Amino acid sequence: AGRTVFILRQLCSSLAEAHARNEKYTPTDEEAPYVEAFIKGFIEKHHPKFHPDYIEYRVYSEEHQYGGTMDVSCRIDDDVWLIDYKTSTHSGGDLEGFLESEKARYRDQLERYRAALALTEDRPIRTALYFPLLDRLVTLDDPDGTASA
C-alpha cells in the first residue's frame, strides 16, 4: 500500500505538469492503470487547465502563520480550483460518510491554502479533495459538497 500511495502522489503531479506543458506522459506498466484512471476520471471529465507553476506549489500566509505545499491549482471552466490529492481508499459501507469525515479532516488545511493563494489570485477559489483510487472529486465549498469525478 505504501508504494501505491507514493506512486499516486507523484503520478498525479507528473500528469498535471505534463498536461500543463502539452507533453505526453509515458507511464511504466505499474503506473498505467492509474494514468488511465486519472485521465478518464479527472482530465476528460473536468477539462482542467493546469499551470506548471501551480503544481506542488509552496504557499505561505504570514497573517495566518501557515505554510505548506498545495498539490495543484487549476482552472475548470471559469473557476480557480485548489485541489488536494488524497490517496486514501475505502472498503465496506458508508462511502459518503467516509468522504464527509475526510472533508471535515482537511477543511482547515484547504482554507489556509485558499487564504495564501488568494494573496496572488483575484478570482474566487474553490477547494476540493480528489481521490484517484475512489474516482471522486469532493468539493468543500458547494452546498451538496460531493461530485463524482
Side-chain angles (χ1 to χ4, degrees):
R3 174 121 175 94
T4 300
V5 167
F6 175 76
I7 289 170
L8 280 173
R9 291 203 62 76
Q10 294 300 109
L11 188 57
C12 287
S13 294
S14 296
L15 286 169
E17 187 167 346
H19 193 267
R21 297 180 189 283
N22 291 318
E23 297 173 353
K24 182 176 167 70
Y25 184 88
T26 305
T28 65
D29 290 343
E30 187 178 20
E31 295 172 334
Y34 304 116
V35 169
E36 183 177 348
F38 186 76
I39 289 170
K40 289 184 178 182
F42 186 70
I43 291 178
E44 289 180 0
K45 285 185 181 179
H46 300 286
H47 308 285
K49 291 176 180 57
F50 298 105
H51 190 286
D53 291 343
Y54 292 103
I55 299 167
E56 294 290 325
Y57 182 65
R58 303 259 323 140
V59 295
Y60 176 74
S61 170
E62 191 168 322
E63 176 185 346
H64 295 93
Q65 294 296 299
Y66 183 79
T69 303
M70 64 180 200
D71 290 337
V72 68
S73 175
C74 61
R75 293 202 52 203
I76 298 176
D77 298 322
D78 291 327
D79 296 328
V80 174
W81 283 77
L82 191 158
I83 300 172
D84 201 40
Y85 304 128
K86 296 299 170 202
T87 54
S88 308
T89 189
H90 178 74
S91 57
D94 198 16
L95 176 60
E96 296 307 317
F98 168 75
L99 295 174
E100 285 299 315
S101 70
E102 293 295 278
K103 282 172 50 176
R105 180 177 175 189
Y106 293 105
R107 185 176 306 280
D108 286 346
Q109 173 189 348
L110 287 174
E111 285 304 316
R112 289 182 185 118
Y113 287 171
R114 182 200 315 253
L117 185 59
L119 297 173
T120 60
E121 178 60 60
D122 57 357
R123 291 171 291 209
I125 302 166
R126 299 188 64 192
T127 56
L129 303 173
Y130 177 59
F131 295 84
L133 293 174
L134 301 174
D135 192 26
R136 297 294 292 264
L137 179 69
V138 181
T139 60
L140 277 73
D141 46 6
D142 266 3
D144 70 352
T146 303
S148 177

